[in-house]
Amino acid sequence: SNKDTLDSVAEQIRAHGDSVKVTVEGYANNVSNTEKENIEELIPLSQARAEAIMKQLVDRGLDAGNLSAKGYGGANPLAAWEDHANWWKNRRVEFLLKK
């Protein structure tokens, strides 16, 4: 289903034309809730996550020059640290489009 989702995202971006710039933002879940984990593990992990998705978009025909990747580690969590059942929501990518 992730492949189908990436196909759909690529089509939606393509529909905006070549003038759109896309930042793929990667996030991760801070298990220990420490800044050390965020800096040493989560920022590199989320950066790699964003770059992997960016590569998938390029593989689907999008111009790499219009794409960038940024890892934010445990920033901007969707699920609170205490909400362990929903930590999976913090392991994600988001797409920021700019014309």
Side-chain angles (χ1 to χ4, degrees):
S1 69
N2 288 336
K3 290 180 181 181
D4 292 340
T5 300
L6 285 170
D7 290 343
S8 176
V9 167
E11 285 301 317
Q12 291 175 49
I13 293 169
R14 195 174 289 107
H16 289 297
D18 291 334
S19 64
V20 70
K21 302 289 185 192
V22 179
T23 303
V24 180
E25 299 180 339
Y27 295 91
N29 188 63
N30 196 330
V31 175
S32 68
N33 205 22
T34 64
E35 189 60 22
K36 181 179 185 209
E37 177 190 21
N38 195 49
I39 292 169
E40 293 178 4
E41 297 178 35
L42 301 182
I43 291 174
L45 171 65
S46 62
Q47 181 68 35
R49 180 173 284 149
E51 289 172 1
I53 295 301
M54 189 177 103
K55 181 185 179 312
Q56 290 293 315
L57 294 175
V58 170
D59 290 348
R60 285 166 171 75
L62 296 181
D63 182 354
N66 291 336
L67 303 171
S68 62
K70 178 68 177 160
Y72 289 98
N76 305 319
L78 296 179
W81 186 79
E82 298 81 12
D83 186 7
H84 295 201
N86 286 300
W87 275 3
W88 63 270
K89 293 178 182 179
N90 298 332
R91 299 177 197 110
R92 69 190 190 280
V93 295
E94 295 181 2
F95 304 92
L96 180 64
L97 280 69
K98 293 184 184 178
K99 277 212 165 215

